[in-house]
Amino acid sequence: ALIVVDLEGMLRFINRPAQDMLGHKKSELIDSDLVLILPVLAEFKTTGDAGGRAVSREMTWYSKSRRRFDVSVFASPAMDDRDSSLLGTVYIAHDITERKQAEEALRESEERLRLAVEATKQTIWDWDIEHNEISWSGFDLAAHLGLAPGTFKRRQESFIDLVHPEDRPLIERALNQALAGGPDYETEFRYVRTDGSLIWVTTKGKVIRNRDGKPIRMVGVSHDITERKRAEEALREGEERLRLAIEAAAQQIWDWDLESNEISWSGFDF
């Protein structure tokens, strides 16, 4: 869309796309004050205000029917070819409504994903293998491990250093197999917090390779399963206490399968 105004802001030219965009006929606009049609332009720093320099901005316009749409506006000086004097301003506008809507939809989708990931204590990570740099989003695992902001180096070996020593060979073996073209990276292991407590994590990752088959990235997700592990351990301990109590009391729990006529039991073994 193209609009030309003189130094007083009176509209001198408007092309068909601009007429369609604003919902006005050319006869309704010529010799009109453009700011009366588009009040938002009163806040737009024009080329005249800027000393003849071209400027641009994204803004919202309204058509004659009050339809709202987003535009990218580029304003440049209209110069007299004879003496290079300033005659007015040329506005070039592009409708960017669909782009803005897509950007907003993407932001909302990313926000929903972020909230879902944080609520489920998941971390989405991306390891740049070539530069050995790791980035992540969602649940902040570094903070959860008790690390002070800015102290954690986002490198693969920095993560390995935080893993329980007994679990490091497991991780290294799974990583090497994935990088060598084996199964996708998948394992469970323990992190050691700065206070000495343990955090159980399950993680899955997929290797991305270049055209030559060389690993260049690995992307994946980690999930804090500490609560699940604690519940499993509590269940095992409860079952063991029950078994010991039954044996100490010389009691027996039995189960008779009437269809197969088989009996199984636990506790005191007579």
Side-chain angles (χ1 to χ4, degrees):
L2 178 65
I3 299 173
V4 180
V5 299
D6 60 22
L7 291 176
E8 286 72 39
M10 305 304 289
L11 194 146
R12 297 306 179 191
F13 176 82
I14 181 169
N15 67 357
R16 173 59 65 180
Q19 295 174 54
D20 295 339
M21 184 182 288
L22 295 174
H24 285 275
K25 295 180 180 179
K26 182 177 180 180
S27 58
E28 298 174 329
L29 300 174
I30 292 297
D31 296 330
S32 299
D33 188 340
L34 185 60
V35 173
L36 296 179
I37 303 167
L38 294 169
V40 68
L41 291 181
E43 302 176 5
F44 191 87
K45 193 169 183 59
T46 64
T47 55
D49 295 335
R53 297 189 302 273
V55 293
S56 63
R57 181 189 292 182
E58 292 183 358
M59 55 177 57
T60 300
W61 283 7
Y62 290 88
S63 68
K64 182 179 180 180
S65 63
R66 302 305 296 167
R67 180 180 68 87
R68 180 187 183 280
F69 55 98
D70 296 303
V71 292
S72 173
V73 181
F74 178 79
S76 60
M79 311 298 293
D80 191 324
D81 292 336
R82 295 168 297 181
D83 57 8
S84 297
S85 60
L86 184 62
L87 298 178
T89 304
V90 178
Y91 293 99
I92 300 175
H94 297 280
D95 190 333
I96 58 172
T97 305
E98 290 186 2
R99 191 198 81 192
K100 286 290 188 179
Q101 291 173 344
E103 290 174 351
E104 181 60 25
L106 178 60
R107 280 192 294 269
E108 292 178 355
S109 177
E110 290 176 340
E111 178 65 9
R112 287 194 296 269
L113 176 61
R114 184 189 65 81
L115 293 173
V117 168
E118 289 184 355
T120 54
K121 292 187 177 181
Q122 294 187 74
T123 300
I124 299 173
W125 49 266
D126 186 337
W127 176 24
D128 181 339
I129 298 174
E130 291 185 312
H131 300 94
N132 193 20
E133 295 179 353
I134 299 176
S135 58
W136 66 81
S137 61
F139 186 65
D140 192 343
L141 183 61
H144 191 48
L145 291 172
L147 301 174
T151 62
F152 181 71
K153 296 180 180 180
R154 296 173 176 245
R155 305 179 69 81
Q156 191 263 352
E157 57 268 22
S158 299
F159 274 98
I160 297 296
D161 289 343
L162 296 171
V163 174
H164 193 287
E166 295 178 0
D167 297 342
R168 291 174 190 174
L170 175 67
I171 291 180
E172 292 173 348
R173 183 166 58 252
L175 279 174
N176 291 334
Q177 288 176 347
L179 293 174
D184 287 344
Y185 174 60
E186 182 174 355
T187 186
E188 289 185 1
F189 58 91
R190 294 164 292 175
Y191 278 121
V192 182
R193 286 173 49 90
T194 54
D195 62 5
S197 60
L198 300 179
I199 294 176
W200 273 96
V201 171
T202 179
T203 187
K204 297 181 180 181
K206 188 173 185 63
V207 177
I208 298 175
R209 305 175 185 275
N210 62 15
R211 293 181 179 179
D212 298 326
K214 178 183 177 182
I216 56 174
R217 289 174 60 198
M218 181 183 285
V219 294
V221 60
S222 296
H223 185 197
D224 185 337
I225 58 171
T226 306
E227 293 182 3
R228 191 194 82 191
K229 286 292 187 178
R230 288 173 179 169
E232 291 173 353
E233 181 62 24
L235 179 60
R236 281 193 294 270
E237 291 177 354
E239 290 175 341
E240 179 63 12
R241 285 194 298 269
L242 177 60
R243 184 187 66 80
L244 292 174
I246 290 174
E247 290 183 355
Q251 292 183 347
Q252 189 176 73
I253 298 175
W254 52 269
D255 186 344
W256 177 20
D257 186 331
L258 297 177
E259 291 185 351
S260 62
N261 195 29
E262 293 181 352
I263 299 176
S264 59
W265 64 84
S266 61
F268 178 68
D269 189 353
F270 62 84

